[in-house]
Amino acid sequence: MKLYIDSANIAVVESLLQTGVFYGVTTNPLILREAGVRWNKLSDFAEYALGLGAQEVFFQSWGEEAATLCRHGEQLARLSSQVVVKLPVTRAGLEAAAKLAKAGIKTCLTAVYAPFQALLAAAAGAAYVAPYLGRMNDAGRDGHALIAQMAAALQKTAGLTEILAASVRSPEDVTSLAQNGVRNITLSPAVAEKLFLEPLTLEAVKAFEAAAQELQNE
Ligand code: G3P
C-alpha cells in the first residue's frame, strides 16, 4: 500500500511525512497556488520533501498544446529522478505523456473520470492514472464502482500502469479503494489526519495511559 499527501504546504507535508506511513507527495497547480509555491520554488519544494523521506513527488505540467506540456514536463522531470510528471488525460496530455514515457520519464495521467481513460493512460505508457473518486460521486457517478472497473481492466490488460486514487474524502474510502484493488492513494491533509483519529483507538490509548501512570505511582 502506498499513501501520498496531496499538499504543497511545507509544514503539513513535514508533519505527515514524519509519521512514516506516507510514500510521497502529490500536487497540482491549484494545490501549489493554495500553498503559495511558485514555479521557481518547485526545486526547493522537491528537495525538501525528498529530504524528509518522500520517495516520489508529483508536479503537474501545464500548457494547452502537447508540445508545451511535453516541454514543461521535461523541465519538471529534470528537477529530480523522483519527480513524477502529471498530465491531464486530454488528447494533448496523452500525446505529451506518450512522448515523455518514451524518454523514460514517469508520468501520471490525471483528472480521470471514466474507465476508458485509464486504458488510454496505459496505452500512453503512463506509470500512474489518477481517478477523482469524490468528484465522480459529486457528479452523480458511482466512483467506487468505476474505479473498481479501472482496476480490473488494468489488471487484465497486464500493463504497468497503476491507479493512484485522488479526491478521496474519508478513511472509509481508503478501505473500499484497497478492497477494489487500488494500491496507491493520495489524501488531502484533512483526510490524512482523520486516519489517526479513530475514536475507539483514542479511548483505548487513554485507558492504557491512565493505567501506565498508576503503575508509576504505586
Ligand atoms: O488531487 C485531486 C484533488 O485535488 C481534488 O480533491 O477533494 O477537492 O475533489 P477534491
Side-chain angles (χ1 to χ4, degrees):
M1 183 85 231
K2 289 195 287 183
L3 297 175
Y4 295 78
I5 307 158
D6 208 16
S7 172
N9 179 312
I10 297 272
V12 167
V13 166
E14 177 171 359
S15 138
L16 286 168
L17 280 176
Q18 270 165 359
T19 64
V21 299
F22 294 95
Y23 186 80
V25 180
T26 57
T27 69
N28 62 37
L30 293 167
I31 287 172
L32 292 173
R33 188 178 66 185
E34 194 184 312
V37 178
R38 305 184 75 83
W39 293 123
N40 61 1
K41 292 287 172 207
L42 284 193
S43 178
D44 293 349
F45 180 80
E47 204 177 307
Y48 194 70
L50 295 169
L52 288 167
Q55 298 297 307
E56 285 178 332
V57 178
F58 288 59
F59 293 131
Q60 191 164 324
S61 187
W62 70 101
E64 286 181 20
E65 308 292 327
T68 318
L69 285 163
C70 197
R71 183 162 40 85
H72 290 147
E74 284 164 350
Q75 285 169 12
L76 294 171
R78 275 197 289 273
L79 296 176
S80 161
S81 58
Q82 286 160 285
V83 164
V84 179
V85 177
K86 285 172 80 179
L87 297 139
V89 71
T90 56
R91 187 179 180 128
L94 285 156
E95 187 180 327
K99 289 197 171 112
L100 293 171
K102 280 203 182 98
I105 293 170
K106 263 187 155 182
T107 62
C108 171
L109 270 302
T110 191
V112 167
Y113 286 84
F116 67 84
Q117 293 176 310
L119 298 173
L120 282 173
Y128 296 101
V129 57
Y132 280 3
L133 173 66
R135 292 182 187 209
M136 284 175 180
N137 292 333
D138 293 345
R141 301 187 188 179
D142 183 343
H144 280 296
L146 290 170
I147 294 176
Q149 263 185 35
M150 289 180 202
L154 287 174
Q155 205 199 358
K156 287 205 168 131
T157 48
L160 298 173
T161 309
E162 291 185 44
I163 293 178
L164 167 59
S167 182
V168 172
R169 305 270 170 81
S170 71
E172 292 71 30
D173 280 340
V174 174
T175 312
S176 303
L177 285 164
Q179 277 181 314
N180 288 333
V182 175
R183 296 195 198 93
N184 313 288
I185 301 177
T186 188
L187 300 167
S188 68
V191 175
E193 292 294 348
K194 283 190 193 159
L195 297 176
F196 308 112
L197 296 175
E198 162 55 43
L200 293 177
T201 301
L202 298 183
E203 204 177 301
V205 168
K206 224 172 160 178
F208 291 144
E209 276 304 308
Q213 291 303 327
E214 280 177 34
L215 290 175
Q216 250 177 3
N217 299 336
E218 276 159 19

